[in-house]
Amino acid sequence: MDSIKPVNIRRAKPYNGTLLLVPPQDSGNAVEMMFDFDETEPRARVAVGGEDGAAPQPGEPFFQKKTLTIEDAVEDVLVIRSTATRWAVSFEIRIDYRLGDQAKHVVIDDGGHPFALSPPNCTDRSRRSADGSGDDGHASYERIWELSGDFQAIKEVSGPDRFPLGAPYC
């Protein structure tokens, strides 16, 4: 593969309808690359970190030092994690590849619709002092559903218009 990049990018204010709050789950070693939509022109980047339970961060450009080669009749899985902290984003993914000596490309979407992601709809940000104390940030939504503390159920949250979300989200 010569290149993997987001195309047909559209940015908007963060979504504020319904939030389903399920903390990140361990993804093991599957994350291969990332798109950082806070960049003006996002490109595939190496996923860095994430082993300690924190979310991986975008590193150096993926294709700067790496090549993806798929052998004939072999199926591979590529996991792309995307991040955005300022804007809701919709996009499709273009993959440029070579088949023999022919350059080809394919554009991938989500079943006829663009992929979409949104940062939290924060109304204020966390303010922390040097000793770690301070105020958590808050988010505002029409409805919020949250995974229960025992991880057995998802429950609706009361007061979704001023929900304490805190760092690193708000």
Side-chain angles (χ1 to χ4, degrees), residues 43-101:
R43 61 176 131 171
R45 294 192 169 275
V46 174
V48 178
E51 295 83 20
D52 57 357
Q57 298 298 310
E60 67 185 19
F62 189 90
F63 290 99
Q64 181 173 317
K65 295 180 180 174
K66 294 182 180 250
T67 302
L68 292 175
T69 303
I70 300 173
E71 300 297 325
D72 190 26
V74 173
E75 187 175 306
D76 278 331
V77 175
L78 176 64
V79 175
I80 302 173
R81 183 177 292 236
S82 298
T83 182
T85 63
R86 296 189 295 246
W87 300 100
V89 181
S90 65
F91 62 97
E92 296 167 332
I93 298 173
R94 178 180 167 131
I95 300 175
D96 295 310
Y97 63 98
R98 294 186 183 279
L99 193 54
D101 59 354

Side-chain angles (χ1 to χ4, degrees), residues 14-19 120-124 137-144 159-165 170:
Y15 304 143
N16 65 358
T18 300
L19 171 66
N121 186 41
C122 296
T123 56
D124 58 55
H138 296 86
S140 178
Y141 288 89
E142 292 172 21
R143 298 176 76 182
I144 296 178
D161 58 334
R162 187 159 167 75
F163 183 72
L165 201 48
C170 286

Side-chain angles (χ1 to χ4, degrees), residues 3-158:
S3 156
I4 298 175
K5 61 185 173 187
V7 294
N8 303 323
I9 300 169
R10 291 185 178 80
R11 291 180 170 89
K13 292 183 350 184
Y15 304 143
N16 65 358
T18 300
L19 171 66
L20 175 60
L21 186 60
V22 179
Q25 307 296 306
D26 182 19
S27 61
N29 296 324
V31 175
E32 294 284 336
M33 71 174 58
M34 295 185 75
F35 294 145
D36 180 359
F37 284 98
D38 289 337
E39 294 181 314
T40 304
E41 291 190 35
R43 61 176 131 171
R45 294 192 169 275
V46 174
V48 178
E51 295 83 20
D52 57 357
Q57 298 298 310
E60 67 185 19
F62 189 90
F63 290 99
Q64 181 173 317
K65 295 180 180 174
K66 294 182 180 250
T67 302
L68 292 175
T69 303
I70 300 173
E71 300 297 325
D72 190 26
V74 173
E75 187 175 306
D76 278 331
V77 175
L78 176 64
V79 175
I80 302 173
R81 183 177 292 236
S82 298
T83 182
T85 63
R86 296 189 295 246
W87 300 100
V89 181
S90 65
F91 62 97
E92 296 167 332
I93 298 173
R94 178 180 167 131
I95 300 175
D96 295 310
Y97 63 98
R98 294 186 183 279
L99 193 54
D101 59 354
Q102 275 190 316
K104 296 183 174 253
H105 78 272
V106 63
V107 176
I108 300 170
D109 61 23
D110 186 15
H113 303 280
F115 296 104
L117 70 142
S118 177
N121 186 41
C122 296
T123 56
D124 58 55
R125 298 280 177 186
S126 297
R127 294 180 300 279
R128 299 277 178 213
S129 61
D131 67 1
S133 65
D135 296 328
D136 277 340
H138 296 86
S140 178
Y141 288 89
E142 292 172 21
R143 298 176 76 182
I144 296 178
W145 294 85
E146 176 179 41
L147 187 62
S148 66
D150 61 4
F151 303 103
Q152 299 298 313
I154 294 179
K155 60 182 173 98
E156 189 166 7
V157 171
S158 62

